[in-house]
Amino acid sequence: MKGKSIIAAAALSLFLLAGCQSENVEESFPMKVEVGDLAAVDQNGESTSLSELNKGKIVIADFIFTNCDTVCLPMTANMAKLQKKIADAGLEDEIQLVSISVDPEHDTPEVLKEYSSRYEMKDENWSFLTGYSRDEIESFANVSFKTPAAQVEGSNQFVHGTSFYLVSENGVLLKQYEGVSNPPYEEMIEDIEKLK
């Protein structure tokens, strides 16, 4: 009987230690920003929210808009490459990619569906979000991701962050990476594996 309680106590300490380790892993990342929720509609017209997509999954997010004439096309192509690398590493069930439109008035679900179809991508773990107001997305980007999301005056273009953002399963923004030219894919995969 005594042997069983020693084994149970050892198992419990290992369980508690594993919990502490995952929290300590988050502490080792440079950013620790609570990400708020964002109610949205995805490219398939389904109602969703960032917290729903984040539930039980690590999120890699970026900000885009479909009329973008500079950085969004390479960023989306790079996210498609990242999706493939995540699949090759056997991590696709643990990761949710999220591209958040900063131009919700133009970027309807239909527009986002057409835009996403230009890339070799899988809907299963990559959502393109819209369905909120411009004020909501500006505030959300500023507060939760510490990045701008504002229309350029007198233009159909928007200023927005060009990073890929790593969000833990606990909804905490931990790190950002270059999203436009030469994203550090291997570093992203390593960071994801640290959080598993």
Side-chain angles (χ1 to χ4, degrees):
M1 192 70 181
K2 194 173 180 184
K4 283 185 181 172
S5 39
I6 290 170
I7 290 167
L12 180 62
S13 5
L14 281 174
F15 176 76
L16 293 172
L17 184 61
C20 293
Q21 281 175 331
S22 71
E23 282 175 27
N24 290 342
V25 167
E26 279 193 24
E27 287 302 312
S28 71
F29 284 90
M31 301 172 78
K32 282 154 220 63
V33 179
E34 284 288 329
V35 174
D37 201 9
L38 180 69
V41 178
D42 70 15
Q43 72 269 31
N44 298 311
E46 309 256 339
S47 293
T48 187
S49 68
L50 192 59
S51 66
E52 195 177 310
L53 294 169
N54 192 199
K55 198 177 288 175
K57 295 205 171 191
I58 296 161
V59 165
I60 303 272
D62 69 350
F63 291 89
I64 55 120
F65 64 105
T66 62
N67 274 334
C68 179
D69 57 20
T70 54
V71 295
C72 300
L73 294 173
M75 283 175 68
T76 307
N78 290 338
M79 190 72 94
K81 282 183 199 160
L82 177 61
Q83 187 181 45
K84 184 166 182 351
K85 288 181 183 292
I86 285 168
D88 291 346
L91 297 167
E92 66 269 33
D93 292 339
E94 298 171 54
I95 307 300
Q96 179 67 43
L97 304 179
V98 181
S99 291
I100 304 166
S101 173
V102 295
D103 185 8
E105 288 163 18
H106 175 268
D107 290 344
T108 61
E110 296 75 22
V111 169
L112 289 172
K113 186 72 175 171
E114 190 281 323
Y115 177 81
S116 68
S117 72
R118 300 178 206 168
Y119 300 89
E120 280 188 42
M121 59 83 70
K122 292 183 182 165
D123 270 6
E124 293 82 40
N125 70 332
W126 189 356
S127 297
F128 288 75
L129 302 185
T130 188
Y132 30 75
S133 71
R134 191 172 296 162
D135 284 348
E136 284 174 309
I137 191 57
E138 285 186 18
S139 171
F140 175 75
N142 294 166
V143 174
S144 289
F145 286 85
K146 307 302 177 201
T147 190
Q151 186 164 14
V152 176
E153 207 171 317
S155 159
N156 70 346
Q157 297 298 292
F158 288 76
V159 175
H160 61 89
T162 59
S163 297
F164 290 163
Y165 299 91
L166 176 68
V167 180
S168 75
E169 290 180 32
N170 303 320
V172 179
L173 171 61
L174 299 176
K175 193 169 179 179
Q176 62 186 61
Y177 312 88
E178 168 59 40
V180 182
S181 55
N182 301 317
Y185 298 113
E186 299 316 313
E187 183 185 337
M188 286 190 264
I189 298 290
E190 281 169 22
D191 287 342
I192 289 164
E193 285 179 332
K194 275 186 217 166
L195 290 171
K196 290 193 325 161

